[in-house]
Amino acid sequence: SVLRHFAFTPRLTRMLRTLLGVALLGAACGVVVPAHRADEETGAESRQDATTYFAGQASSLGVKSLEDYRSKHADQFARDALPCDDETNPSFKMQCASVSRAARMGGRKFKVAGKGSNQLFSESFRPEDSRHFDVSKSSTFSAEAKKTFDLHYADGSHLRGFTGQDQVTMGDYNAHAPFGVITDCNSPDFNGVDGILGFGLPRPGSEMPTPILFAMTDPGNTNSNAQSLKRKFSFFSTDDAAEVQLGGYDPDTTQGTMWYTPALSRNDFIVGVNSLKFGQSHGSSVELLAFKSETQRKFGAPSIMDSGTSCLVIPADHMQGQLSNVPWDDFARNWGKEKSFWLEIGEKTWEIPFSSWYLADTEQTCVQPSPEGMQGLLVGDVFFREYVVEFDMTDSRPIIGIAPLNKQYTPVTKNQLANYELHQAPKAKLSLLKGEEVMYPAEHSETLTAVDRIPIVNQKGTQYFMDVSVGTPAQPFTVIFDTGSTVFGVFSYKDKLPDTIKKELPGYYFSQNLKTLAQSSGGPVAALQVGGS
């Protein structure tokens, strides 16, 4: 054996320990450990040979040890790369959770409360204004009535129902997929629409059906023509129209480079906003996120890109002492026409001009204070009117791309499926980021990628609706499109359900009626009413 030719002196033992440490460090950093040069102190060839041999052995052992450790601690490595899930930074993790909750609980639903009234809604939900799914008329429907849900939103809205399975068509794609059969609703926000379509990320342990884009692109779903569709989409809005693009984005919709950054969470489209300025020009603007330390500014304020939120929602407190100011107060104090917001994300600055955050037709400011407990921002439709945002969910860690919107592009009026040579996220670079908020430009790909362009109805730039169909034969529905929600569900009359389904539902589903259930609340968050009558 080679080992017999060498005596394990204290010096050699220390040398081996050093080499093993270097090898492990090199392996962890992806660095190849070079062979040790000749020992300049003694010049002994035998010691040089021993060093070379043991360096090679230590390197191999180190790599194997690191691979074993990484395999056994995969969750910990993932947390290290995702600040929103980092147990060692509970404050930032809680801030991420607060914006996630605000987005998933209906960020779009901030209203101006009526004076002198303790009623949550000034009108009731009118089910007769919505189309309802008739389960008895679909030959492919199956109920999972034991899987019930009760969804409570931030403004007191409440949806109740159970899970079903059926053929779902979205654009040019269709699949047998799970969805929510909504039997009860109490919110007038759903008057005239038939349900909700969430494009958010699945939540671990959630009892809700698998998000529709994930269900349709599941490689194991043999009843789908979307198995090869890239699990990503892009979204943007103009003043009177909007468009969602499944599978990527049409390069004609952008004007300039698409810049990418990894999300700070595995479960939400969260980015860190390191700076939020407001003023006539970037140079003369007021900083609304006055972080107390550079470390806090490095992570930034967790912010969700959310089409379900109409406006820009900014902190209304000191964010648990991390800010020396209150952003909402400073904004209200400096309010003025023709001023812009500048968001810094990943060392790139993105402007939201006055024309996007001020609704001229109604003379309203589409900027709102955060609800109590929310420690971050919701970046809503005011941003999508200026930028194309791509949501890439092809890996375990979501990637978000942002590019200036081509204002000359006209959104489609009917589904259009085509193949493009796309620019794509530089995943090799992005995978190296572990919490740093940096954006990298897109890389060109010559591979043709299918992109399905689907029209979205734009209601005054504050709410978006998309057409889908469910069942065999297909029953058409118009649903709210929401990137911050995971829920896909359509309304169905519970009193018209087959008896076999009714028997499986809890008794209170029929003894309670959410439509007429009295609602009281401390009042929803009011938007700033300035600049108009």
Side-chain angles (χ1 to χ4, degrees):
S1 147
V2 179
L3 297 178
R4 294 175 183 169
H5 295 286
F6 303 102
F8 281 80
T9 64
R11 179 179 175 83
L12 184 55
T13 300
R14 288 194 300 272
M15 183 187 303
L16 291 176
R17 289 174 178 168
T18 301
L19 289 169
L20 181 59
V22 170
L24 285 170
L25 179 61
C29 299
V31 178
V32 177
V33 181
H36 199 284
R37 64 182 180 179
D39 190 324
E40 296 177 349
E41 182 181 351
T42 65
E45 289 185 8
S46 62
R47 183 166 295 169
Q48 179 183 348
D49 292 340
T51 301
T52 303
Y53 174 81
F54 283 115
Q57 291 293 97
S59 181
S60 299
L61 290 171
V63 171
K64 179 67 167 59
S65 175
L66 185 63
E67 289 175 346
D68 291 343
Y69 182 87
R70 190 182 190 97
S71 176
K72 294 177 182 179
H73 298 80
D75 290 342
Q76 184 62 51
F77 272 82
R79 284 197 296 272
D80 290 343
L82 299 172
C84 285
D85 304 327
D86 190 354
E87 299 288 351
T88 66
N89 192 349
S91 177
F92 192 78
K93 181 179 180 180
M94 187 164 63
Q95 290 173 15
C96 291
S98 72
V99 295
S100 172
R101 177 177 173 82
R104 292 174 185 272
M105 292 190 67
R108 66 182 180 279
K109 300 178 185 295
F110 298 111
K111 304 180 185 70
V112 178
K115 293 182 179 179
S117 172
N118 66 345
Q119 290 299 309
L120 184 59
F121 303 123
S122 58
E123 58 178 318
S124 63
F125 171 60
R126 299 187 301 272
E128 64 274 11
D129 291 350
S130 302
R131 289 175 290 190
H132 285 61
F133 179 57
D134 190 338
V135 304
S136 65
K137 291 184 178 179
S138 175
S139 62
T140 49
F141 175 77
S142 61
E144 298 178 19
K146 296 294 185 182
K147 295 182 179 180
T148 59
F149 58 83
D150 279 89
L151 299 175
H152 299 265
Y153 289 88
D155 69 340
S157 296
H158 189 172
L159 299 177
R160 174 181 290 166
F162 63 93
T163 298
Q165 294 258 359
D166 211 334
Q167 287 297 121
V168 177
T169 300
M170 184 171 60
D172 290 283
Y173 294 100
N174 61 80
H176 198 78
F179 67 100
V181 181
I182 304 172
T183 58
D184 286 274
C185 175
N186 70 341
S187 171
D189 282 340
F190 288 92
N191 284 340
V193 295
D194 311 323
I196 184 171
L197 177 63
F199 263 33
L201 295 150
R203 302 284 291 185
S206 172
E207 297 180 356
M208 293 302 299
T210 302
I212 186 62
L213 192 57
F214 279 75
M216 297 185 81
T217 56
D218 182 354
N221 189 346
T222 57
N223 293 316
S224 172
N225 68 348
Q227 292 171 306
S228 61
L229 178 68
K230 297 291 185 183
R231 193 173 282 172
K232 54 185 176 180
F233 70 94
S234 57
F235 177 71
F236 66 90
S237 170
T238 64
D239 290 337
D240 54 7
E243 186 174 302
V244 63
Q245 300 175 349
L246 305 182
Y249 72 98
D250 177 355
D252 288 343
T253 60
T254 63
Q255 187 172 33
T257 302
M258 179 76 75
W259 290 80
Y260 291 95
T261 189
L264 301 182
S265 170
R266 183 183 291 106
N267 305 315
D268 290 287
F269 300 124
I270 295 180
V271 296
V273 173
N274 310 104
S275 172
L276 176 64
K277 293 188 174 183
F278 179 69
Q280 295 285 355
S281 66
H282 185 263
S284 63
S285 58
V286 175
E287 177 60 68
L288 299 182
L289 293 177
F291 291 102
K292 290 183 177 180
S293 73
E294 182 60 27
T295 300
Q296 292 164 340
R297 196 193 78 82
K298 173 188 173 184
F299 284 104
S303 309
I304 288 188
M305 316 295 283
D306 180 22
S307 72
T309 296
S310 303
C311 305
L312 177 65
V313 182
I314 63 177
D317 56 24
H318 293 279
M319 280 182 57
Q320 297 179 327
Q322 296 201 27
L323 302 176
S324 61
N325 69 323
V326 176
W328 171 257
D329 292 349
D330 286 353
F331 164 67
R333 190 179 303 114
N334 290 277
W335 191 98
K337 290 190 174 183
E338 306 307 325
K339 291 186 177 182
S340 293
F341 287 92
W342 282 272
L343 283 77
E344 182 183 316
I345 302 172
E347 301 178 0
K348 295 284 295 181
T349 301
W350 309 95
E351 181 183 3
I352 303 177
F354 176 76
S355 59
S356 286
W357 64 263
Y358 185 75
L359 305 179
D361 290 345
T362 56
E363 295 187 316
Q364 286 183 299
T365 297
C366 204
V367 183
Q368 296 167 320
S370 62
E372 184 178 357
M374 195 189 98
Q375 305 293 316
L377 287 78
L378 296 179
V379 182
D381 301 333
V382 295
F383 194 81
F384 293 105
R385 290 200 287 274
E386 291 296 319
Y387 302 98
V388 177
V389 180
E390 183 181 75
F391 302 86
D392 187 334
M393 301 169 286
T394 54
D395 288 337
S396 60
R397 184 179 185 181
I399 295 172
I400 295 170
I402 304 174
L405 173 63
N406 177 8
K407 296 297 183 71
Q408 304 305 311
Y409 178 83
T410 302
V412 296
T413 55
K414 62 180 181 180
N415 304 334
Q416 293 187 20
L417 179 64
N419 292 302
Y420 301 95
E421 287 187 7
L422 296 183
H423 296 281
Q424 59 188 13
K427 294 185 177 180
K429 295 177 181 177
L430 296 174
S431 66
L432 300 177
L433 298 179
K434 293 182 179 290
E436 302 92 340
E437 194 67 10
V438 180
M439 301 194 86
Y440 285 108
E443 296 175 342
H444 180 70
S445 170
E446 295 183 358
T447 303
L448 289 177
T449 302
V451 175
D452 194 11
R453 295 180 292 166
I454 304 175
I456 298 287
V457 176
N458 178 355
Q459 186 182 68
K460 299 179 181 179
T462 59
Q463 204 165 40
Y464 300 98
F465 307 101
M466 181 172 164
D467 290 334
V468 298
S469 65
V470 180
T472 306
Q475 300 177 39
F477 301 101
T478 298
V479 292
I480 296 172
F481 175 75
D482 188 350
T483 62
S485 171
T486 62
V487 180
F488 169 45
V490 294
F491 294 125
S492 183
Y493 288 114
K494 63 183 177 184
D495 58 345
K496 295 182 179 180
L497 293 172
D499 289 340
T500 53
I501 296 178
K502 289 181 179 179
K503 290 177 181 178
E504 294 190 63
L505 293 173
Y508 66 84
Y509 266 51
F510 300 95
S511 62
Q512 289 183 358
N513 188 343
L514 296 185
K515 187 173 84 71
T516 57
L517 192 64
Q519 296 289 323
S520 297
S521 170
V525 180
L528 181 64
Q529 299 296 298
V530 289
S533 55

